[in-house]
Amino acid sequence: MRRRQFLGLLTVLAVVGSSVILLRGATRLPSALLTQATRPSTSTATATSTATATLPSSAPPGSDAGSDAAAASSSTRHPIEQLLDAASASFTQKVARQSRTLPEAVAEYQRRYGLPPPPQFDAWYQFARSRGVQLIDEYDGIHHALRPFWGLQPRTIRGRAREALGFDNALLGVLVRGGQTVLVQGGAGWQQQATVEMMAAFAHHLPDMDLAFNALDEPRVVVPHDDLARLLAAANAQHRAAVGRRNAFSARPADVSDGRAIAEVKRSRFNQYPHQPTWAAAKLSCPPDSAARRLQDDSDSSDSSDDEDERSYAHPGPLPFIANATAFSDICGRRSAQRSFGFFAAANAFAVAHDLFPIFSQSKVSSFQDLLYPSPWYWAGKVPDAAAARDRAWAHKTDRLYWRGSTTGGFSRDGGWRRHHRQHVVQRLNAPDLAHVLVQAGPPDHGWARRSVERGAHADLVDVRFSHVGQCEPADCAAQREFFRVVPPAAPHEAWAARHLLDVDGNAFSGRFYAFLRSGSLVYKLALFREWHHDWLTPWLHFIPLTLRGDEWLETVRYFAREPRGRARAPRLADRARDWAGRVLRKQDLEVWFFRLLLE
């Protein structure tokens, strides 16, 4: 009996030992790399890449400042300084490598994607050049978002667009026939007008199309991981078959209407459940072995998932400054987001499809398959820029982090607001507790160490308050008014008096971002929602990224307001952001990006 037990134990140890050896020998890609489409070094790399290697969480391809910044190792410089320098170097290289001619742009397109450009690419290139576009090659996000659609037959895509528009699915329908917008239906008036205006200058280059634009704040399409894997595998085959495609659109298919009306449909695949948790649906496209898909629930009081999440995106130092913004916003690797972000706790509106529909949305979280397009909110100028009469020079602005806003971000019932991101931001920045700052540990060559200080010692740096409470049941609204010191609403121009402006996601993206970038103040951005401009704006150069948890928030502001080197760099960063926003966030730039998207 003992002999059999002993032999059984040896067998178990042998299996365990073999597993350890295999696991140690296997190279496991970080989640942020596994879940984004790899950027090829040759066209062959794209054509032969596997579906598993390119499976989303919808992380746009290409590295941002984070990947370079994470490698910085100098302990004598403040971590923020390391991140700023890495971002500047990465951006300089990006600008320098842009194509200068149409043949160069075609060659770069083929190198990146392993495909010839779409029809009318030459017309798009001339359109872009005539409008002074700065980054002629940086459209990786478009290619990545459209890849799963290559796994569907064109008639299937057209049929799903008609199906979505034919039912009351909170969509704006735009029908293009003969190079003109012939029908616009649904959505708000300002969205209709801005969308059509944004297309007007290039619509004559487009084929006949039925376009479905999301009229809700929240994204609409998340495809289960196994279906997405099959779509991407089929897309690879289609890519190889498309290498010889011609430079012309096909004739209008028989199933495309004359555009006089949108045919009514009696059914919908969009399931609506507003004011409910969305995490279970949002994580469906994540890989089964990702952090988001773990079988066990975390307790609300557990910090283990926060710590684990930080290792995927944070700078290796005493405070978790974001070193990889793509990894930070990848919710497949961000398990803690389910209990710290309002959209996941209880979205204000949620109407989601789990089949791949061609829905254009203004923003989305990483796991969704919506197609991002430049927001008509920006085009329509819904948030006015800092007018010359209201704007101030840096020397006349105050050293404070400023934000005013409402409790949007999710719907609150039964105390749910305690798990919403905006409430966490306002509560923590004003809490009478200890905060973390960095101090030089002895002589200048000894680096920086974390120290806990009374948050109140730096209270003059923070002016962050709610000015409205809403999207909540009466008891929760009353509880928030009691808990927070709600202040009267402020005029938009009052923000320009602060040197440091905070921009925070709401129900979706924050519509103030562009106005803030043009204000001449330094912009701090807390966001999980992604927008079309991901490839064109660089964290730690054009804005300062912030985590959800907030351990580094006070130190980030303190560095730029109190540290001599930070004080010197802050106005230069603000000026550089304003200059770049004036170059790449104009109406002309939104047109060019939208034109490229619709051609693809």
Side-chain angles (χ1 to χ4, degrees):
M1 181 67 176
R2 290 181 178 176
R3 178 180 175 85
R4 287 198 299 270
Q5 291 176 333
F6 179 69
L7 290 174
L9 179 60
L10 285 178
T11 302
V12 171
L13 289 173
V15 171
V16 172
S18 300
S19 301
V20 171
I21 291 172
L22 289 171
L23 287 172
R24 290 184 65 186
T27 300
R28 181 179 177 85
L29 291 175
S31 172
L33 296 180
L34 179 65
T35 58
Q36 59 182 297
T38 53
R39 179 175 172 177
S41 57
T42 65
S43 58
T44 305
T46 301
T48 59
S49 61
T50 64
T52 300
T54 59
L55 215 54
S57 69
S58 299
S63 61
D64 54 26
S67 57
D68 293 328
S73 60
S74 172
S75 60
T76 62
R77 295 187 303 150
H78 194 285
I80 289 179
E81 190 172 354
Q82 300 174 36
L83 292 162
L84 295 173
D85 289 345
S88 180
S90 175
F91 174 75
T92 299
Q93 293 170 6
K94 177 185 287 190
V95 172
R97 68 173 180 253
Q98 298 303 300
S99 298
R100 306 300 178 193
T101 64
L102 176 59
E104 288 181 6
V106 171
E108 177 63 13
Y109 188 104
Q110 293 174 322
R111 185 195 72 80
R112 292 190 184 209
Y113 312 130
L115 289 167
Q120 297 288 340
F121 185 81
D122 53 345
W124 170 84
Y125 180 86
Q126 295 303 328
F127 185 86
R129 281 295 183 215
S130 70
R131 280 154 173 75
V133 165
Q134 301 294 308
L135 300 176
I136 202 74
D137 297 322
E138 303 306 322
Y139 300 85
D140 288 355
I142 293 177
H143 174 77
H144 178 74
L146 289 174
R147 281 202 65 200
F149 289 90
W150 281 80
L152 294 176
Q153 292 293 324
R155 64 176 178 274
T156 299
I157 300 174
R158 294 193 299 269
R160 289 184 180 177
R162 289 195 301 272
E163 177 187 334
L165 292 173
F167 193 87
D168 184 12
N169 285 315
L171 297 171
L172 161 64
V174 176
L175 274 54
V176 178
R177 299 291 186 271
Q180 294 183 338
T181 299
V182 297
L183 182 64
V184 181
Q185 180 175 305
W190 65 267
Q191 186 181 11
Q192 290 184 2
Q193 181 178 350
T195 302
V196 172
E197 287 178 355
M198 197 159 34
M199 297 172 58
F202 60 81
H204 60 283
H205 290 295
L206 300 176
D208 292 350
M209 313 172 78
D210 295 347
L211 303 173
F213 297 93
N214 183 12
L216 299 178
D217 292 334
E218 298 81 357
R220 309 294 298 275
V221 182
V222 58
V223 179
H225 181 272
D226 57 339
D227 288 348
L228 208 50
R230 290 187 294 155
L231 285 167
L232 288 170
N236 287 337
Q238 288 294 326
H239 274 193
R240 290 191 290 272
V243 169
R245 68 182 179 183
R246 59 181 182 169
N247 186 28
F249 294 115
S250 57
R252 184 203 298 177
D255 61 347
V256 175
S257 72
D258 59 12
R260 295 179 182 177
I262 295 174
E264 183 180 3
V265 175
K266 298 295 186 181
R267 58 187 173 84
S268 175
R269 281 184 266 182
F270 288 85
N271 299 303
Q272 300 188 34
Y273 43 102
H275 303 175
Q276 298 296 325
T278 66
W279 181 255
K283 68 180 182 178
L284 284 176
S285 69
C286 296
D289 60 348
S290 64
R293 293 281 300 276
R294 283 190 194 143
L295 299 177
Q296 305 300 327
D297 292 335
D298 291 333
S299 67
D300 282 350
S301 60
S302 172
D303 288 332
S304 59
S305 60
D306 295 276
D307 295 336
E308 181 178 359
D309 290 353
E310 285 178 358
R311 289 194 290 272
S312 71
Y313 65 78
H315 182 274
L319 284 176
F321 302 103
I322 293 176
N324 189 321
T326 301
F328 168 75
S329 63
D330 174 14
I331 71 127
C332 294
R334 298 294 319 284
R335 182 174 175 81
S336 63
Q338 67 177 309
R339 52 187 174 79
S340 59
F341 198 69
F343 171 70
F344 301 124
N348 190 53
F350 198 56
V352 64
H354 296 310
D355 291 317
L356 188 62
F357 277 80
I359 305 299
F360 295 86
S361 290
Q362 299 168 60
S363 67
K364 67 177 181 180
V365 290
S366 65
S367 58
F368 281 70
Q369 280 69 60
D370 302 55
L371 300 171
L372 293 178
Y373 77 109
S375 172
W377 181 270
Y378 292 135
W379 176 275
K382 286 293 192 177
V383 177
D385 289 349
R390 300 285 191 178
D391 198 9
R392 307 184 187 188
W394 181 269
H396 298 134
K397 295 174 183 274
T398 58
D399 253 332
R400 58 188 172 123
L401 180 69
Y402 179 89
W403 183 83
R404 290 291 185 274
S406 63
T407 57
T408 55
F411 186 87
S412 179
R413 60 159 58 96
D414 195 26
W417 56 271
R418 292 181 171 85
R419 296 184 295 277
H420 293 190
H421 53 285
R422 284 192 168 188
Q423 285 83 341
H424 174 64
V425 168
V426 176
Q427 183 275 327
R428 187 162 194 189
L429 283 173
N430 291 286
D433 62 359
L434 296 179
H436 301 306
V437 298
L438 298 185
V439 297
Q440 285 194 304
D445 60 345
H446 282 200
W448 296 79
R450 187 172 70 180
R451 174 180 294 174
S452 295
V453 299
E454 291 288 342
R455 192 181 299 273
H458 299 282
D460 60 312
L461 293 180
V462 176
D463 186 8
V464 174
R465 298 287 179 185
F466 282 124
S467 57
H468 174 73
V469 173
Q471 290 188 188
C472 42
E473 290 191 340
D476 278 43
C477 288
Q480 292 181 81
R481 292 190 187 98
E482 181 179 354
F483 184 84
F484 297 106
R485 184 166 69 85
V486 181
V487 300
H493 68 264
E494 292 186 24
W496 316 142
R499 290 179 175 177
H500 312 272
L501 295 181
L502 177 61
D503 190 55
V504 185
D505 279 347
N507 291 333
F509 74 102
S510 166
R512 311 178 206 182
F513 187 39
Y514 291 5
F516 280 8
L517 289 175
R518 297 184 182 113
S519 70
S521 297
L522 187 60
V523 181
Y524 301 70
K525 188 165 183 63
L526 192 158
L528 282 188
F529 280 97
R530 294 175 174 176
E531 300 178 65
W532 71 276
H533 54 238
H534 178 95
D535 295 324
W536 286 12
L537 299 179
T538 301
W540 294 109
L541 181 64
H542 303 127
F543 63 93
I544 307 303
L546 299 179
T547 69
L548 280 176
R549 188 172 177 176
D551 289 349
E552 88 294 2
W553 293 344
L554 183 61
E555 172 58 15
T556 304
V557 181
R558 190 202 67 81
Y559 173 79
F560 287 114
R562 300 262 166 89
E563 288 292 329
R565 295 177 71 88
R567 286 180 61 85
R569 295 189 76 153
R572 297 201 301 268
L573 287 168
D575 285 344
R576 193 167 184 179
R578 176 160 56 181
D579 175 72
W580 188 244
R583 294 170 181 261
V584 303
L585 299 179
R586 306 164 300 157
K587 282 190 172 183
Q588 299 96 312
D589 300 300
L590 275 63
E591 285 179 328
V592 169
W593 207 93
F594 198 19
F595 185 6
R596 173 72 171 261
L597 171 64
L598 294 182
L599 279 189
E600 298 278 6

